[in-house]
mmCIF file of all heavy atoms in Angstrom:
data_model
loop_
_atom_site.group_PDB
_atom_site.id
_atom_site.type_symbol
_atom_site.label_atom_id
_atom_site.label_comp_id
_atom_site.label_asym_id
_atom_site.label_seq_id
_atom_site.Cartn_x
_atom_site.Cartn_y
_atom_site.Cartn_z
ATOM 1 N N LEU A 1139 -26.640 -3.029 0.712
ATOM 2 C CA LEU A 1139 -27.896 -2.473 0.151
ATOM 3 C C LEU A 1139 -27.611 -1.189 -0.617
ATOM 4 O O LEU A 1139 -28.180 -0.945 -1.695
ATOM 5 C CB LEU A 1139 -28.895 -2.180 1.291
ATOM 6 C CG LEU A 1139 -29.873 -3.293 1.539
ATOM 7 C CD1 LEU A 1139 -30.763 -2.960 2.713
ATOM 8 C CD2 LEU A 1139 -30.755 -3.570 0.290
ATOM 9 N N GLU A 1140 -26.681 -0.366 -0.087
ATOM 10 C CA GLU A 1140 -26.365 0.888 -0.772
ATOM 11 C C GLU A 1140 -25.836 0.560 -2.168
ATOM 12 O O GLU A 1140 -26.201 1.190 -3.169
ATOM 13 C CB GLU A 1140 -25.344 1.691 0.055
ATOM 14 C CG GLU A 1140 -25.102 3.077 -0.532
ATOM 15 C CD GLU A 1140 -24.068 3.878 0.259
ATOM 16 O OE1 GLU A 1140 -23.801 3.521 1.429
ATOM 17 O OE2 GLU A 1140 -23.561 4.857 -0.291
ATOM 18 N N MET A 1141 -24.920 -0.430 -2.246
ATOM 19 C CA MET A 1141 -24.365 -0.777 -3.558
ATOM 20 C C MET A 1141 -25.467 -1.297 -4.497
ATOM 21 O O MET A 1141 -25.514 -0.969 -5.665
ATOM 22 C CB MET A 1141 -23.252 -1.835 -3.434
ATOM 23 C CG MET A 1141 -21.941 -1.267 -2.912
ATOM 24 S SD MET A 1141 -20.675 -2.532 -2.660
ATOM 25 C CE MET A 1141 -20.290 -2.984 -4.361
ATOM 26 N N ILE A 1142 -26.309 -2.170 -3.943
ATOM 27 C CA ILE A 1142 -27.336 -2.803 -4.786
ATOM 28 C C ILE A 1142 -28.433 -1.834 -5.190
ATOM 29 O O ILE A 1142 -28.963 -1.874 -6.325
ATOM 30 C CB ILE A 1142 -27.908 -4.071 -4.078
ATOM 31 C CG1 ILE A 1142 -26.805 -5.135 -3.991
ATOM 32 C CG2 ILE A 1142 -29.128 -4.632 -4.770
ATOM 33 C CD1 ILE A 1142 -27.118 -6.333 -3.085
ATOM 34 N N LEU A 1143 -28.796 -0.912 -4.270
ATOM 35 C CA LEU A 1143 -29.929 -0.002 -4.556
ATOM 36 C C LEU A 1143 -29.502 1.173 -5.422
ATOM 37 O O LEU A 1143 -30.324 1.733 -6.145
ATOM 38 C CB LEU A 1143 -30.548 0.507 -3.234
ATOM 39 C CG LEU A 1143 -31.130 -0.573 -2.318
ATOM 40 C CD1 LEU A 1143 -31.815 0.032 -1.093
ATOM 41 C CD2 LEU A 1143 -32.122 -1.473 -3.053
ATOM 42 N N THR A 1144 -28.229 1.587 -5.330
ATOM 43 C CA THR A 1144 -27.784 2.725 -6.166
ATOM 44 C C THR A 1144 -27.158 2.271 -7.454
ATOM 45 O O THR A 1144 -27.139 3.030 -8.443
ATOM 46 C CB THR A 1144 -26.698 3.577 -5.432
ATOM 47 O OG1 THR A 1144 -25.551 2.726 -5.218
ATOM 48 C CG2 THR A 1144 -27.223 4.155 -4.121
ATOM 49 N N GLY A 1145 -26.595 1.029 -7.482
ATOM 50 C CA GLY A 1145 -25.867 0.572 -8.669
ATOM 51 C C GLY A 1145 -24.503 1.265 -8.802
ATOM 52 O O GLY A 1145 -23.801 1.039 -9.775
ATOM 53 N N ASP A 1146 -24.105 2.082 -7.814
ATOM 54 C CA ASP A 1146 -22.830 2.782 -7.911
ATOM 55 C C ASP A 1146 -21.648 1.852 -7.780
ATOM 56 O O ASP A 1146 -21.707 0.843 -7.106
ATOM 57 C CB ASP A 1146 -22.729 3.830 -6.772
ATOM 58 C CG ASP A 1146 -23.611 5.036 -7.006
ATOM 59 O OD1 ASP A 1146 -24.148 5.178 -8.136
ATOM 60 O OD2 ASP A 1146 -23.783 5.843 -6.063
ATOM 61 N N MET A 1147 -20.582 2.254 -8.443
ATOM 62 C CA MET A 1147 -19.324 1.485 -8.348
ATOM 63 C C MET A 1147 -18.514 2.009 -7.175
ATOM 64 O O MET A 1147 -18.563 3.210 -6.868
ATOM 65 C CB MET A 1147 -18.476 1.656 -9.590
ATOM 66 C CG MET A 1147 -19.034 1.074 -10.823
ATOM 67 S SD MET A 1147 -17.811 1.261 -12.142
ATOM 68 C CE MET A 1147 -18.858 1.670 -13.517
ATOM 69 N N ILE A 1148 -17.711 1.123 -6.545
ATOM 70 C CA ILE A 1148 -16.755 1.575 -5.541
ATOM 71 C C ILE A 1148 -15.349 1.239 -5.992
ATOM 72 O O ILE A 1148 -15.132 0.260 -6.749
ATOM 73 C CB ILE A 1148 -17.058 1.016 -4.145
ATOM 74 C CG1 ILE A 1148 -16.978 -0.515 -4.112
ATOM 75 C CG2 ILE A 1148 -18.406 1.467 -3.616
ATOM 76 C CD1 ILE A 1148 -16.943 -1.095 -2.708
ATOM 77 N N SER A 1149 -14.366 2.013 -5.505
ATOM 78 C CA SER A 1149 -12.980 1.812 -5.887
ATOM 79 C C SER A 1149 -12.371 0.628 -5.148
ATOM 80 O O SER A 1149 -12.937 0.163 -4.152
ATOM 81 C CB SER A 1149 -12.174 3.080 -5.555
ATOM 82 O OG SER A 1149 -12.117 3.200 -4.133
ATOM 83 N N ALA A 1150 -11.190 0.209 -5.566
ATOM 84 C CA ALA A 1150 -10.475 -0.882 -4.900
ATOM 85 C C ALA A 1150 -10.168 -0.469 -3.446
ATOM 86 O O ALA A 1150 -10.305 -1.292 -2.515
ATOM 87 C CB ALA A 1150 -9.191 -1.202 -5.648
ATOM 88 N N ASP A 1151 -9.783 0.777 -3.241
ATOM 89 C CA ASP A 1151 -9.424 1.243 -1.876
ATOM 90 C C ASP A 1151 -10.655 1.180 -0.970
ATOM 91 O O ASP A 1151 -10.549 0.767 0.181
ATOM 92 C CB ASP A 1151 -8.877 2.691 -1.909
ATOM 93 C CG ASP A 1151 -7.458 2.689 -2.434
ATOM 94 O OD1 ASP A 1151 -6.834 1.599 -2.481
ATOM 95 O OD2 ASP A 1151 -6.978 3.779 -2.828
ATOM 96 N N GLU A 1152 -11.790 1.608 -1.511
ATOM 97 C CA GLU A 1152 -13.029 1.572 -0.722
ATOM 98 C C GLU A 1152 -13.405 0.092 -0.459
ATOM 99 O O GLU A 1152 -13.807 -0.244 0.670
ATOM 100 C CB GLU A 1152 -14.152 2.269 -1.515
ATOM 101 C CG GLU A 1152 -15.540 2.260 -0.867
ATOM 102 C CD GLU A 1152 -15.641 3.149 0.401
ATOM 103 O OE1 GLU A 1152 -14.627 3.699 0.840
ATOM 104 O OE2 GLU A 1152 -16.761 3.238 0.904
ATOM 105 N N ALA A 1153 -13.224 -0.758 -1.464
ATOM 106 C CA ALA A 1153 -13.533 -2.207 -1.285
ATOM 107 C C ALA A 1153 -12.667 -2.769 -0.170
ATOM 108 O O ALA A 1153 -13.098 -3.592 0.641
ATOM 109 C CB ALA A 1153 -13.334 -2.939 -2.595
ATOM 110 N N PHE A 1154 -11.408 -2.326 -0.128
ATOM 111 C CA PHE A 1154 -10.502 -2.792 0.930
ATOM 112 C C PHE A 1154 -10.976 -2.288 2.316
ATOM 113 O O PHE A 1154 -11.047 -3.028 3.287
ATOM 114 C CB PHE A 1154 -9.087 -2.325 0.659
ATOM 115 C CG PHE A 1154 -8.104 -2.672 1.734
ATOM 116 C CD1 PHE A 1154 -7.683 -3.983 1.936
ATOM 117 C CD2 PHE A 1154 -7.618 -1.698 2.594
ATOM 118 C CE1 PHE A 1154 -6.825 -4.320 2.952
ATOM 119 C CE2 PHE A 1154 -6.740 -2.020 3.602
ATOM 120 C CZ PHE A 1154 -6.318 -3.318 3.798
ATOM 121 N N ARG A 1155 -11.343 -0.999 2.323
ATOM 122 C CA ARG A 1155 -11.755 -0.366 3.603
ATOM 123 C C ARG A 1155 -12.968 -1.077 4.220
ATOM 124 O O ARG A 1155 -13.058 -1.220 5.435
ATOM 125 C CB ARG A 1155 -12.051 1.122 3.328
ATOM 126 C CG ARG A 1155 -11.791 2.042 4.455
ATOM 127 C CD ARG A 1155 -12.011 3.491 4.034
ATOM 128 N NE ARG A 1155 -13.352 3.762 3.559
ATOM 129 C CZ ARG A 1155 -14.409 3.913 4.317
ATOM 130 N NH1 ARG A 1155 -14.291 3.774 5.637
ATOM 131 N NH2 ARG A 1155 -15.603 4.130 3.796
#
Side-chain angles (χ1 to χ4, degrees):
L1139 266 177
E1140 187 181 343
M1141 284 176 72
I1142 291 169
L1143 299 184
T1144 62
D1146 286 348
M1147 292 186 220
I1148 62 167
S1149 67
D1151 285 344
E1152 177 71 353
F1154 175 71
R1155 211 174 59 75

